[in-house]
Amino acid sequence: GGGLTGLTLACALGELGVRAVLLDEDNTVGVKGASSRGICYTQKSLEIFERLGLYHRIAAKGVQWHVGRTFAGNDEVYHFDLSKNPGFKLSAQPPFVNIQQFYIEGFLVEQIQALPSVQLRWSNRVTGLVQGDGLATLSIATHAGEYRARARFIVDCTGAKTPFRNWLGVGVQTTKGDDRWCIADVRFKERPPVERHTWIEAPFNEGRAVWQHLMADDVWRLDYQMTPDSDPEAVSQESVVRARINRQFGRDVDCDIVWVGPYAYRSECVERMSYAAGQSTVFFAGDTAKLVSPFGARGGNTGISDADNLAWKLATVVQGYAAPQLLDSYHDERHEAAQVNVQVTNRTARFLRPADGAERLFRTAAISLARQYPFAQALVNTGRMAVANTYTRSRACGPGGGVSVPNVRLQWADGSAAELVDLLYWADGRLLLLCFGQQPKGALARLRRLTQNAHLVAVQVLRPGVHAQACEAVTDPNGQLQSACAAPHGGWALLRPDSYLGAAGAAIDAGVVRAIALSMGAAA
């Protein structure tokens, strides 16, 4: 599948030097190359794209935003300013960038085309899968005829209508809602404020919800909640959409409608995200693994993180640096993330379209209280914005592990500016063992003996003015990296290629070896 998840995975594998083939039944990016679809990309996704060499293009084309306002009727009942949130200030990337999905997919395609180890095969539709004692075999249809391909690892990124679930007999938990929406991409002659505006009970949409976001090319994304029994074709007619826009912005508003499309959503989550048979394994990623409602930007962003999580593990196993058991942790980590994101978005969906009874009573009370009391603003749920998920049940994480470390600013040993992403790029797919501060005499030599056969590189992380002892070193000017890793002075932290913490400890001892073993898929 050549959507956002599949392209991110192919690009990440190519950057790590892994041979891969991407098959896609279409030959365009986006939804037939037109609609906005996904638009809001989180700080974690932007950090991943920075590692893949794409962030500068996304930042130049997209729109940064940090203020969000929520209205009930004509009253503002909640607002936030992410620029004042200390958690977002640690990273070199902003909290969010809005940009149409097809731009990112196009950037990924161009990046992949420069990677010699990845093939892009357009108009190649997978029609069958046989997974037996040997390698898996795919049947593939093209305009020139059919052929077969064999592989040890297959990653299904074909999306919500994937045939792989049926072929493998995959169990899926599904919740189907009756919520109906109509998207309108609009370009205005006079700009509204560059903020995320949300109406729970919009007076210009018959008391139903509305979203308003700015994207690239000065195009605004407007999402209008419709009635459950609405006719998709009727609500998407340009005359109907324009009347809706006039009610919101005034009869004299001067605008061009770029694209219109209706949608309905459902939530799904597969029971497992990997299926092994013989020497082959099929993985599910992105919308193939889970579907969530669009509230809080938890769809495409979690697919990007699926790809990032799986890429380094596949590379490490394929290249012989880790045991195959490392791949089991993909399900541990990303299935937990999928379940959390489904749960969070389902709660938002129920707040925006509550059932009669307790749900509606709760929403009415929450809105009423939020109009008067700041404490109640947190009860107003128009989408909990996506953040990097924490892993609490991973076989690849030890004590203190499982949290994403932001892209903090550092300095190289010569004093030049750097970021954590630069350090990860320098590590070239290896684990990073960060040693904070001066170490006891002989500790670094002992560390080299303990880890001489491991696929990692050790780096001292020092405060300004402190000289390195006996290994590579960087400077942590404000102590942000040490704080993000929750490591004591003189302690250590094991950082994975996906910028997740594998483990942390107080002293260089056997605990380091156990943490490395876990992160390499071997039993401690």
Side-chain angles (χ1 to χ4, degrees):
L4 193 61
T5 303
L7 289 168
T8 301
L9 178 61
C11 189
L13 290 171
E15 292 286 353
L16 292 168
V18 176
R19 291 178 58 208
V21 176
L22 186 145
L23 306 168
D24 190 84
E25 66 180 4
D26 196 8
N27 60 356
T28 64
V29 295
V31 184
K32 304 300 181 186
S35 76
S36 58
R37 204 176 181 186
I39 65 165
C40 186
Y41 295 90
T42 65
Q43 190 171 80
K44 179 62 179 178
S45 293
L46 299 173
E47 291 171 346
I48 292 169
F49 289 136
E50 171 74 349
R51 278 190 268 121
L52 297 179
L54 300 173
Y55 169 69
H56 66 289
R57 299 186 68 181
I58 294 169
K61 187 67 179 176
V63 176
Q64 295 186 25
W65 65 274
H66 52 87
V67 174
R69 302 185 187 278
T70 298
F71 303 88
N74 294 313
D75 300 326
E76 182 177 322
V77 294
Y78 178 64
H79 74 273
F80 59 82
D81 185 346
L82 297 175
S83 67
K84 298 178 181 179
N85 187 321
F88 285 108
K89 289 182 177 180
L90 294 175
S91 177
Q93 275 62 53
F96 292 97
V97 168
N98 280 9
I99 183 173
Q100 293 88 322
Q101 181 173 324
F102 58 79
Y103 278 122
I104 294 186
E105 292 183 0
F107 297 157
L108 283 164
V109 169
E110 292 171 2
Q111 192 83 352
I112 291 168
Q113 288 173 332
L115 298 171
S117 63
V118 180
Q119 294 182 38
L120 294 177
R121 298 184 187 176
W122 302 113
S123 301
N124 278 239
R125 183 167 58 90
V126 178
T127 59
L129 166 72
V130 176
Q131 191 182 20
D133 294 335
L135 301 180
T137 302
L138 294 174
S139 299
I140 303 161
T142 72
H143 296 306
E146 296 186 356
Y147 71 99
R148 287 180 172 79
R150 304 183 75 209
R152 182 181 173 193
F153 300 116
I154 295 170
V155 188
D156 179 13
C157 306
T158 54
K161 297 181 180 179
T162 174
F164 280 78
R165 292 180 186 172
N166 289 332
W167 294 339
L168 295 173
V170 175
V172 182
Q173 297 176 340
T174 302
T175 301
K176 191 172 183 179
D178 62 355
D179 215 359
R180 301 290 182 269
W181 294 74
C182 182
I183 302 172
D185 291 351
V186 180
R187 188 178 284 113
F188 293 95
K189 293 297 188 290
E190 294 185 13
R191 261 190 174 198
V194 183
E195 299 175 343
R196 173 186 182 261
H197 283 189
T198 304
W199 286 264
I200 305 169
E201 299 170 339
F204 48 83
N205 192 38
E206 299 176 331
R208 294 185 296 273
V210 174
W211 262 251
Q212 177 180 308
H213 264 279
L214 177 61
M215 306 180 291
D217 302 329
D218 221 23
V219 174
W220 291 82
R221 165 81 171 264
L222 305 174
D223 290 42
Y224 295 98
Q225 188 181 39
M226 300 286 98
T227 60
D229 59 353
S230 60
D231 178 0
E233 291 188 13
V235 299
S236 302
Q237 292 178 12
E238 182 169 337
S239 60
V240 176
V241 173
R242 192 168 290 278
R244 203 176 292 134
I245 294 171
N246 289 342
R247 287 196 297 273
Q248 180 175 356
F249 295 96
R251 182 173 295 180
D252 298 329
V253 65
D254 192 356
C255 65
D256 297 320
I257 297 176
V258 178
W259 180 85
V260 174
Y263 76 86
Y265 62 80
R266 66 184 187 274
S267 66
E268 294 182 349
C269 189
V270 295
E271 293 179 351
R272 283 204 57 80
M273 292 182 68
S274 62
Y275 287 79
Q279 301 176 45
S280 69
T281 305
V282 176
F283 301 92
F284 293 111
D287 286 353
T288 305
K290 53 88 190 66
L291 283 177
V292 297
S293 53
F295 313 119
R298 291 172 180 261
N301 286 291
T302 58
I304 293 166
S305 289
D306 287 348
D308 189 47
N309 184 289
L310 185 56
W312 77 268
K313 295 174 181 177
L314 279 171
T316 310
V317 170
V318 167
Q319 293 165 350
Y321 296 116
Q325 287 76 13
L326 173 63
L327 298 173
D328 295 337
S329 66
Y330 171 70
H331 168 79
D332 296 343
E333 296 173 354
R334 297 311 301 167
H335 193 256
E336 179 182 16
Q339 289 177 317
V340 169
N341 290 314
V342 166
Q343 182 184 64
V344 169
T345 53
N346 281 349
R347 287 174 178 168
T348 301
R350 292 198 301 272
F351 189 87
L352 294 173
R353 179 163 165 69
D356 291 335
E359 287 184 6
R360 186 167 296 280
L361 180 64
F362 172 79
R363 190 178 96 158
T364 301
I367 293 172
S368 177
L369 288 168
R371 283 188 166 104
Q372 303 178 61
Y373 304 106
F375 84 88
Q377 293 179 353
L379 301 175
V380 177
N381 185 353
T382 58
R384 307 306 188 196
M385 299 307 294
V387 294
N389 290 94
T390 299
Y391 306 140
T392 65
R393 53 181 188 239
S394 173
R395 281 168 280 187
C397 293
V403 297
S404 178
V405 178
N407 184 29
V408 300
R409 293 172 176 83
L410 304 168
Q411 292 177 355
W412 294 118
D414 64 2
S416 58
E419 298 169 3
L420 181 58
V421 162
D422 299 317
L423 194 56
L424 289 166
Y425 186 80
W426 170 78
D428 194 24
R430 294 173 291 181
L431 296 174
L432 267 174
L433 185 57
L434 305 174
C435 305
F436 293 97
Q438 295 283 36
Q439 300 295 320
K441 185 176 180 180
L444 294 179
R446 185 166 66 253
L447 174 65
R448 281 196 296 272
R449 291 195 300 272
L450 288 171
T451 62
Q452 59 183 345
N453 295 321
H455 187 55
L456 91 165
V457 59
V459 175
Q460 261 192 293
V461 182
L462 305 170
R463 294 295 178 90
V466 179
H467 296 290
Q469 288 171 283
C471 69
E472 302 290 346
V474 295
T475 300
D476 186 12
N478 302 308
Q480 291 179 338
L481 181 57
Q482 183 175 341
S483 176
C485 293
H489 189 72
W492 58 272
L494 188 68
L495 195 63
R496 307 182 335 182
D498 60 354
S499 195
Y500 266 82
L501 199 60
I508 294 173
D509 54 18
V512 178
V513 179
R514 286 193 293 272
I516 294 169
L518 287 171
S519 293
M520 292 290 95

